[in-house]
Amino acid sequence: MSQSEKGTPASELIDARIRELGNWRGETLARLRALIHEADPEVVEEWKWRGVPVWSHDGILCTGETYSQVVKMTFAKGAALEDPSGLFNASLEGNTRRAIDLREGERIEAEALKALIRAAVALNRARKKGRSK
């Protein structure tokens, strides 16, 4: 379990954010979080950049940002991931990141998202292994 700069566990800060949102955005963030944990039970939750939930495993996997019209799940190395289901729908022009923007009422493709998370974990592991040689 990771902690914020002030010592509060990141998981508690994420819980508080979900409660604070209290609407479809909180429900969506909670659902994404649950799917991340299903895909990677060893994931580490962090709280960075003044209030952004971050999920890591051998490096950052993705973030969960909330805006008024969208919940944005940004994959740190998304451009290097295959996305056969076409989940990425934002930040497509960049060389590194890719994002999934979810709007109110949109369905989350759970199995496709979990596959993407597992691919991100595998990519981080491969890159970490390559650096340790």
Coordinates of all heavy atoms in Angstrom, one line a residue, residues 43-119:
V43 N -1.4 -5.0 -7.8 CA -1.3 -3.6 -8.2 C -1.1 -2.8 -6.9 O -1.6 -3.1 -5.8 CB -2.6 -3.2 -9.0 CG1 -3.8 -3.1 -8.1 CG2 -2.3 -1.8 -9.7
V44 N -0.4 -1.7 -7.0 CA -0.2 -0.8 -5.9 C -0.9 0.5 -6.2 O -0.8 1.1 -7.3 CB 1.4 -0.5 -5.8 CG1 1.6 0.6 -4.7 CG2 2.1 -1.7 -5.4
E45 N -1.7 1.0 -5.3 CA -2.4 2.2 -5.4 C -1.6 3.4 -4.9 O -0.9 3.3 -3.8 CB -3.7 2.2 -4.7 CG -4.7 1.2 -5.3 CD -6.1 1.3 -4.7 OE1 -6.2 1.5 -3.4 OE2 -7.1 1.1 -5.5
E46 N -1.5 4.5 -5.7 CA -0.8 5.6 -5.3 C -1.7 6.9 -5.4 O -2.7 6.8 -6.1 CB 0.5 5.8 -6.1 CG 1.4 4.6 -6.0 CD 2.6 4.7 -6.9 OE1 2.5 4.3 -8.1 OE2 3.7 5.1 -6.4
W47 N -1.2 8.0 -4.9 CA -2.0 9.2 -4.9 C -0.9 10.3 -5.3 O 0.0 10.6 -4.5 CB -2.6 9.5 -3.6 CG -3.5 10.7 -3.5 CD1 -3.2 11.9 -3.0 CD2 -4.9 10.8 -3.9 NE1 -4.3 12.7 -3.0 CE2 -5.3 12.0 -3.6 CE3 -5.7 9.8 -4.4 CZ2 -6.6 12.4 -3.8 CZ3 -7.0 10.2 -4.7 CH2 -7.5 11.5 -4.4
K48 N -1.0 10.8 -6.5 CA 0.1 11.7 -7.0 C -0.5 13.0 -7.6 O -1.7 13.1 -7.8 CB 0.9 11.0 -8.1 CG 1.6 9.8 -7.7 CD 2.4 9.2 -8.8 CE 3.2 8.0 -8.3 NZ 4.6 8.1 -8.5
W49 N 0.4 13.9 -7.8 CA 0.1 15.1 -8.5 C -1.2 15.8 -8.0 O -2.1 16.2 -8.7 CB -0.1 14.8 -10.0 CG 1.0 14.1 -10.6 CD1 2.3 14.4 -10.7 CD2 0.9 12.7 -11.2 NE1 3.1 13.4 -11.2 CE2 2.2 12.4 -11.6 CE3 -0.1 11.8 -11.4 CZ2 2.5 11.2 -12.2 CZ3 0.2 10.6 -12.0 CH2 1.5 10.3 -12.4
R50 N -1.2 16.0 -6.7 CA -2.2 16.7 -6.0 C -3.6 16.1 -6.2 O -4.6 16.8 -6.4 CB -2.2 18.2 -6.4 CG -1.0 18.9 -6.0 CD -1.1 20.4 -6.2 NE 0.2 21.0 -6.1 CZ 0.7 21.9 -6.9 NH1 -0.1 22.4 -7.8 NH2 1.9 22.4 -6.7
G51 N -3.7 14.8 -6.1 CA -5.0 14.2 -6.1 C -5.4 13.4 -7.3 O -6.6 13.3 -7.6
V52 N -4.5 12.7 -7.9 CA -4.8 11.8 -9.0 C -4.5 10.3 -8.5 O -3.4 10.0 -8.2 CB -3.9 12.1 -10.2 CG1 -4.2 11.1 -11.3 CG2 -4.2 13.5 -10.7
P53 N -5.6 9.5 -8.6 CA -5.3 8.1 -8.3 C -4.4 7.5 -9.4 O -4.6 7.7 -10.5 CB -6.7 7.4 -8.3 CG -7.7 8.6 -8.2 CD -7.0 9.8 -8.8
V54 N -3.4 6.7 -8.9 CA -2.5 6.1 -9.8 C -2.4 4.6 -9.4 O -2.3 4.3 -8.3 CB -1.1 6.7 -9.8 CG1 -0.1 6.0 -10.6 CG2 -1.2 8.2 -10.1
W55 N -2.4 3.7 -10.4 CA -2.2 2.3 -10.2 C -0.8 1.9 -10.9 O -0.6 2.2 -12.0 CB -3.3 1.5 -10.7 CG -4.6 1.7 -9.9 CD1 -4.9 1.1 -8.8 CD2 -5.6 2.7 -10.2 NE1 -6.1 1.6 -8.3 CE2 -6.5 2.6 -9.1 CE3 -5.8 3.7 -11.2 CZ2 -7.7 3.4 -9.0 CZ3 -6.9 4.5 -11.1 CH2 -7.8 4.4 -10.0
S56 N 0.0 1.2 -10.1 CA 1.3 0.8 -10.5 C 1.6 -0.6 -10.3 O 1.1 -1.3 -9.4 CB 2.4 1.7 -9.8 OG 2.2 3.0 -10.1
H57 N 2.5 -1.2 -11.1 CA 3.1 -2.5 -10.9 C 4.4 -2.5 -11.8 O 4.3 -2.5 -13.0 CB 2.2 -3.6 -11.4 CG 2.6 -4.9 -11.0 ND1 1.8 -6.0 -10.7 CD2 3.9 -5.5 -10.9 CE1 2.5 -7.1 -10.5 NE2 3.7 -6.8 -10.6
D58 N 5.5 -2.4 -11.1 CA 6.8 -2.3 -11.8 C 6.8 -1.0 -12.6 O 7.4 -1.0 -13.7 CB 7.1 -3.5 -12.6 CG 7.5 -4.7 -11.8 OD1 8.0 -4.5 -10.7 OD2 7.2 -5.8 -12.2
G59 N 6.2 0.0 -12.2 CA 6.0 1.3 -12.9 C 4.5 1.6 -13.0 O 3.7 0.8 -12.8
I60 N 4.3 2.8 -13.5 CA 2.9 3.3 -13.6 C 2.1 2.5 -14.7 O 2.6 2.4 -15.8 CB 2.8 4.8 -13.9 CG1 3.3 5.6 -12.7 CG2 1.3 5.2 -14.2 CD1 3.4 7.1 -12.9
L61 N 1.0 2.0 -14.3 CA 0.1 1.4 -15.3 C -0.9 2.4 -15.9 O -0.9 2.6 -17.1 CB -0.7 0.2 -14.7 CG 0.0 -0.9 -14.0 CD1 -0.9 -1.8 -13.3 CD2 0.8 -1.7 -15.1
C62 N -1.6 3.0 -15.0 CA -2.6 4.0 -15.4 C -3.1 4.9 -14.3 O -2.8 4.7 -13.1 CB -3.9 3.3 -16.0 SG -4.7 2.2 -14.8
T63 N -3.8 6.0 -14.7 CA -4.3 6.9 -13.7 C -5.8 6.9 -13.9 O -6.4 6.5 -14.9 CB -3.8 8.4 -14.0 OG1 -4.2 8.8 -15.3 CG2 -2.3 8.4 -13.9
G64 N -6.5 7.5 -12.9 CA -7.9 7.6 -12.9 C -8.3 9.1 -12.6 O -8.5 9.4 -11.5
E65 N -8.4 9.9 -13.7 CA -8.7 11.3 -13.5 C -10.2 11.5 -13.7 O -10.9 10.9 -14.5 CB -8.0 12.1 -14.5 CG -6.5 11.9 -14.5 CD -5.9 11.9 -15.9 OE1 -5.8 13.0 -16.5 OE2 -5.5 10.8 -16.3
T66 N -10.8 12.5 -12.9 CA -12.2 12.7 -13.0 C -12.4 14.2 -13.4 O -11.8 15.1 -12.8 CB -12.9 12.4 -11.7 OG1 -12.3 13.1 -10.6 CG2 -13.0 11.0 -11.4
Y67 N -13.2 14.4 -14.4 CA -13.6 15.7 -14.9 C -15.1 15.9 -14.9 O -15.8 14.9 -14.6 CB -13.0 16.0 -16.3 CG -11.5 15.8 -16.4 CD1 -10.9 14.6 -16.8 CD2 -10.7 16.9 -16.0 CE1 -9.5 14.5 -16.8 CE2 -9.3 16.7 -16.0 CZ -8.7 15.5 -16.4 OH -7.4 15.4 -16.4
S68 N -15.6 17.0 -15.2 CA -17.1 17.2 -15.1 C -17.8 16.3 -16.1 O -18.9 15.8 -15.7 CB -17.4 18.7 -15.3 OG -17.0 19.1 -16.6
Q69 N -17.3 16.1 -17.3 CA -18.0 15.3 -18.3 C -17.4 13.9 -18.6 O -18.0 13.2 -19.4 CB -18.1 16.1 -19.6 CG -18.7 17.4 -19.5 CD -20.2 17.3 -19.1 OE1 -20.9 16.5 -19.7 NE2 -20.7 18.1 -18.1
V70 N -16.3 13.6 -17.9 CA -15.6 12.4 -18.3 C -14.8 11.8 -17.1 O -14.3 12.6 -16.3 CB -14.8 12.6 -19.6 CG1 -13.6 13.5 -19.3 CG2 -14.3 11.3 -20.2
V71 N -14.7 10.5 -17.1 CA -13.7 9.9 -16.2 C -12.6 9.3 -17.2 O -13.0 8.6 -18.1 CB -14.3 8.7 -15.4 CG1 -13.2 7.9 -14.6 CG2 -15.3 9.2 -14.4
K72 N -11.4 9.8 -17.0 CA -10.3 9.5 -17.9 C -9.4 8.5 -17.3 O -8.8 8.7 -16.2 CB -9.6 10.8 -18.3 CG -8.4 10.5 -19.3 CD -7.7 11.8 -19.6 CE -8.5 12.7 -20.5 NZ -8.6 12.3 -21.9
M73 N -9.1 7.4 -18.0 CA -8.2 6.4 -17.6 C -7.0 6.5 -18.5 O -7.1 6.1 -19.7 CB -8.8 5.0 -17.6 CG -8.0 3.9 -17.1 SD -9.0 2.4 -17.2 CE -8.1 1.4 -16.0
T74 N -5.9 7.0 -18.1 CA -4.7 7.2 -18.9 C -3.7 6.2 -18.6 O -3.2 6.0 -17.5 CB -4.1 8.6 -18.7 OG1 -5.1 9.6 -18.9 CG2 -2.9 8.9 -19.6
F75 N -3.3 5.5 -19.7 CA -2.3 4.4 -19.6 C -0.9 5.1 -19.9 O -0.7 5.6 -21.0 CB -2.5 3.3 -20.6 CG -3.6 2.4 -20.1 CD1 -4.9 2.7 -20.1 CD2 -3.3 1.1 -19.6 CE1 -5.9 1.9 -19.6 CE2 -4.3 0.3 -19.1 CZ -5.6 0.6 -19.1
A76 N 0.0 5.0 -19.0 CA 1.3 5.7 -19.1 C 2.1 5.3 -20.4 O 2.7 6.1 -21.0 CB 2.2 5.4 -17.9
K77 N 2.0 4.0 -20.7 CA 2.7 3.5 -21.9 C 1.7 2.9 -22.9 O 2.0 2.0 -23.6 CB 3.7 2.5 -21.5 CG 4.8 3.0 -20.5 CD 5.8 1.9 -20.0 CE 6.7 2.4 -19.0 NZ 6.1 2.3 -17.6
G78 N 0.6 3.5 -23.0 CA -0.5 3.0 -23.8 C -0.2 2.9 -25.3 O -0.7 2.0 -26.0
A79 N 0.7 3.8 -25.8 CA 1.0 3.7 -27.2 C 1.8 2.5 -27.6 O 1.8 2.0 -28.7 CB 1.8 5.0 -27.6
A80 N 2.4 1.8 -26.6 CA 3.1 0.6 -26.8 C 2.3 -0.7 -26.6 O 2.8 -1.8 -26.8 CB 4.3 0.5 -25.9
L81 N 1.0 -0.5 -26.3 CA 0.1 -1.6 -26.0 C -0.8 -1.9 -27.2 O -1.3 -0.9 -27.9 CB -0.8 -1.3 -24.8 CG -0.1 -1.1 -23.5 CD1 -1.1 -0.7 -22.4 CD2 0.7 -2.3 -23.1
E82 N -1.0 -3.1 -27.5 CA -2.0 -3.5 -28.5 C -3.4 -3.3 -27.9 O -3.6 -3.6 -26.7 CB -1.8 -4.9 -29.0 CG -0.6 -5.1 -29.8 CD -0.5 -6.5 -30.5 OE1 -1.6 -7.0 -30.8 OE2 0.6 -7.0 -30.7
D83 N -4.3 -2.8 -28.7 CA -5.7 -2.5 -28.2 C -6.6 -3.1 -29.2 O -7.3 -2.4 -29.9 CB -5.8 -1.0 -28.1 CG -7.2 -0.6 -27.6 OD1 -7.9 -1.4 -27.0 OD2 -7.6 0.6 -27.9
P84 N -6.7 -4.5 -29.2 CA -7.6 -5.1 -30.2 C -9.0 -4.8 -30.1 O -9.8 -4.8 -31.1 CB -7.3 -6.6 -30.0 CG -6.8 -6.7 -28.6 CD -6.1 -5.4 -28.4
S85 N -9.5 -4.4 -28.9 CA -10.9 -4.0 -28.7 C -11.2 -2.6 -29.0 O -12.4 -2.2 -29.0 CB -11.3 -4.4 -27.3 OG -11.2 -5.8 -27.1
G86 N -10.2 -1.8 -29.3 CA -10.4 -0.4 -29.6 C -10.9 0.4 -28.4 O -11.7 1.4 -28.6
L87 N -10.4 0.1 -27.2 CA -10.8 0.9 -26.0 C -10.3 2.3 -26.0 O -10.9 3.2 -25.5 CB -10.4 0.2 -24.7 CG -11.0 -1.2 -24.5 CD1 -10.5 -1.8 -23.2 CD2 -12.5 -1.1 -24.4
F88 N -9.0 2.5 -26.4 CA -8.4 3.8 -26.4 C -9.2 4.8 -27.3 O -9.4 4.5 -28.5 CB -7.0 3.8 -26.8 CG -6.0 3.1 -25.8 CD1 -5.1 2.2 -26.3 CD2 -6.1 3.4 -24.5 CE1 -4.3 1.5 -25.4 CE2 -5.2 2.8 -23.6 CZ -4.3 1.8 -24.0
N89 N -9.7 5.9 -26.8 CA -10.4 6.8 -27.5 C -10.0 8.3 -27.3 O -10.7 9.2 -27.7 CB -11.9 6.7 -27.3 CG -12.3 6.9 -25.8 OD1 -11.5 7.4 -25.0 ND2 -13.5 6.6 -25.5
A90 N -8.9 8.5 -26.6 CA -8.4 9.8 -26.3 C -6.8 9.8 -26.2 O -6.2 8.7 -26.0 CB -8.9 10.3 -25.0
S91 N -6.2 10.9 -26.3 CA -4.8 11.0 -26.3 C -4.1 10.2 -27.3 O -3.0 9.6 -27.1 CB -4.2 10.7 -24.9 OG -4.8 11.5 -23.9
L92 N -4.7 10.0 -28.5 CA -4.3 9.1 -29.5 C -3.1 9.7 -30.3 O -2.4 8.9 -31.0 CB -5.4 8.8 -30.5 CG -6.6 8.1 -29.8 CD1 -7.7 7.9 -30.8 CD2 -6.2 6.8 -29.2
E93 N -2.9 11.0 -30.2 CA -1.8 11.6 -31.0 C -0.5 11.5 -30.4 O 0.5 11.8 -31.1 CB -2.2 13.1 -31.3 CG -2.3 14.0 -30.1 CD -3.5 13.8 -29.2 OE1 -4.5 13.2 -29.6 OE2 -3.4 14.2 -28.0
G94 N -0.4 11.2 -29.1 CA 0.9 11.2 -28.4 C 1.7 10.0 -28.8 O 1.2 9.0 -29.3
N95 N 3.0 10.0 -28.4 CA 3.9 8.9 -28.7 C 4.0 7.9 -27.6 O 4.6 6.9 -27.7 CB 5.3 9.5 -29.0 CG 5.4 10.3 -30.3 OD1 4.6 10.0 -31.2 ND2 6.3 11.2 -30.3
T96 N 3.5 8.3 -26.4 CA 3.6 7.4 -25.2 C 2.3 7.0 -24.6 O 2.0 5.8 -24.5 CB 4.5 8.1 -24.2 OG1 5.7 8.6 -24.8 CG2 4.8 7.2 -23.0
R97 N 1.5 8.0 -24.2 CA 0.3 7.7 -23.5 C -0.9 7.4 -24.4 O -0.9 7.9 -25.6 CB -0.1 8.9 -22.6 CG 0.8 9.1 -21.5 CD 0.4 10.3 -20.7 NE 0.5 11.5 -21.7 CZ 0.2 12.7 -21.4 NH1 0.0 13.1 -20.2 NH2 0.3 13.6 -22.3
R98 N -1.9 6.8 -23.9 CA -3.2 6.6 -24.5 C -4.2 6.6 -23.4 O -3.9 6.2 -22.3 CB -3.3 5.3 -25.3 CG -2.5 5.1 -26.5 CD -3.0 6.0 -27.7 NE -2.2 5.8 -28.9 CZ -1.1 6.5 -29.2 NH1 -0.6 7.3 -28.3 NH2 -0.5 6.3 -30.3
A99 N -5.4 7.0 -23.7 CA -6.5 7.2 -22.7 C -7.8 6.6 -23.1 O -8.1 6.5 -24.3 CB -6.6 8.6 -22.2
I100 N -8.6 6.3 -22.1 CA -10.0 5.9 -22.3 C -10.9 6.9 -21.6 O -10.7 7.1 -20.4 CB -10.2 4.5 -21.8 CG1 -9.3 3.5 -22.4 CG2 -11.7 4.1 -22.0 CD1 -9.3 2.1 -21.7
D101 N -11.7 7.6 -22.4 CA -12.6 8.6 -21.8 C -14.0 7.9 -21.7 O -14.5 7.4 -22.6 CB -12.8 9.8 -22.7 CG -11.6 10.8 -22.6 OD1 -10.7 10.5 -21.7 OD2 -11.6 11.8 -23.3
L102 N -14.5 7.9 -20.4 CA -15.8 7.3 -20.2 C -16.8 8.4 -19.8 O -16.5 9.2 -18.9 CB -15.7 6.3 -19.1 CG -14.9 5.0 -19.5 CD1 -14.4 4.3 -18.2 CD2 -15.7 4.1 -20.3
R103 N -17.9 8.5 -20.5 CA -18.9 9.5 -20.2 C -20.1 8.8 -19.5 O -20.2 7.6 -19.5 CB -19.4 10.1 -21.5 CG -18.3 11.0 -22.1 CD -18.6 11.5 -23.5 NE -17.6 12.4 -23.9 CZ -16.4 12.1 -24.3 NH1 -16.0 10.8 -24.2 NH2 -15.5 13.0 -24.7
E104 N -20.9 9.6 -18.9 CA -22.1 9.1 -18.1 C -22.9 8.1 -19.0 O -23.2 8.4 -20.2 CB -23.0 10.3 -17.7 CG -24.1 9.8 -16.8 CD -24.8 11.0 -16.2 OE1 -24.6 12.2 -16.6 OE2 -25.7 10.8 -15.3
G105 N -23.2 7.0 -18.5 CA -24.0 6.0 -19.2 C -23.3 5.1 -20.1 O -23.8 4.1 -20.6
E106 N -22.0 5.3 -20.3 CA -21.2 4.4 -21.2 C -20.8 3.1 -20.5 O -20.5 3.2 -19.3 CB -19.9 5.1 -21.7 CG -20.2 6.2 -22.7 CD -19.0 6.8 -23.3 OE1 -17.9 6.7 -22.7 OE2 -19.1 7.4 -24.4
R107 N -20.9 2.1 -21.2 CA -20.6 0.7 -20.6 C -19.1 0.5 -20.7 O -18.4 0.9 -21.6 CB -21.3 -0.3 -21.5 CG -21.3 -1.7 -20.9 CD -22.3 -2.6 -21.7 NE -21.8 -3.9 -21.6 CZ -20.9 -4.5 -22.6 NH1 -20.6 -3.8 -23.6 NH2 -20.5 -5.7 -22.4
I108 N -18.6 -0.1 -19.6 CA -17.2 -0.5 -19.6 C -17.0 -1.9 -20.1 O -17.7 -2.8 -19.6 CB -16.6 -0.4 -18.1 CG1 -16.7 1.0 -17.6 CG2 -15.2 -0.9 -18.0 CD1 -16.5 1.2 -16.1
E109 N -16.2 -2.1 -21.1 CA -15.9 -3.4 -21.6 C -14.9 -4.1 -20.6 O -13.7 -4.0 -20.8 CB -15.3 -3.3 -23.0 CG -16.1 -2.6 -24.0 CD -17.3 -3.5 -24.5 OE1 -17.2 -4.7 -24.3 OE2 -18.3 -2.9 -24.9
A110 N -15.5 -4.8 -19.6 CA -14.7 -5.3 -18.5 C -13.5 -6.2 -18.9 O -12.4 -6.1 -18.5 CB -15.6 -6.0 -17.5
E111 N -13.8 -7.2 -19.7 CA -12.8 -8.2 -20.1 C -11.7 -7.6 -21.0 O -10.5 -7.9 -20.8 CB -13.4 -9.4 -20.8 CG -14.3 -10.3 -19.8 CD -13.6 -10.6 -18.5 OE1 -12.5 -11.1 -18.6 OE2 -14.2 -10.5 -17.5
A112 N -12.1 -6.7 -21.9 CA -11.1 -6.0 -22.7 C -10.3 -5.1 -21.9 O -9.0 -5.0 -22.1 CB -11.8 -5.2 -23.8
L113 N -10.9 -4.4 -20.9 CA -10.1 -3.5 -20.0 C -9.1 -4.3 -19.2 O -7.9 -4.0 -19.1 CB -11.0 -2.7 -19.2 CG -10.3 -1.7 -18.3 CD1 -9.5 -0.7 -19.1 CD2 -11.3 -1.0 -17.4
K114 N -9.5 -5.5 -18.6 CA -8.6 -6.3 -17.8 C -7.5 -6.8 -18.7 O -6.4 -6.9 -18.2 CB -9.4 -7.4 -17.2 CG -10.3 -6.9 -16.0 CD -10.9 -8.0 -15.1 CE -11.9 -8.8 -15.8 NZ -12.6 -9.8 -14.8
A115 N -7.8 -7.2 -19.9 CA -6.7 -7.6 -20.8 C -5.7 -6.5 -21.1 O -4.5 -6.8 -21.1 CB -7.3 -8.1 -22.1
L116 N -6.2 -5.3 -21.2 CA -5.3 -4.1 -21.4 C -4.4 -3.9 -20.2 O -3.2 -3.6 -20.3 CB -6.1 -2.9 -21.8 CG -5.5 -1.8 -22.5 CD1 -4.9 -2.2 -23.8 CD2 -6.6 -0.7 -22.8
I117 N -5.0 -4.0 -19.0 CA -4.3 -3.8 -17.8 C -3.2 -4.9 -17.6 O -2.0 -4.6 -17.3 CB -5.2 -3.8 -16.6 CG1 -6.1 -2.6 -16.6 CG2 -4.4 -3.9 -15.2 CD1 -7.4 -2.7 -15.8
R118 N -3.5 -6.1 -18.0 CA -2.5 -7.2 -17.9 C -1.4 -7.0 -18.9 O -0.2 -7.3 -18.6 CB -3.2 -8.6 -18.1 CG -4.1 -9.0 -17.0 CD -4.7 -10.4 -17.2 NE -5.7 -10.6 -16.3 CZ -7.0 -10.7 -16.5 NH1 -7.5 -10.6 -17.8 NH2 -7.9 -10.9 -15.6
A119 N -1.7 -6.5 -20.0 CA -0.7 -6.2 -21.1 C 0.2 -5.0 -20.6 O 1.4 -5.1 -20.8 CB -1.4 -5.8 -22.4

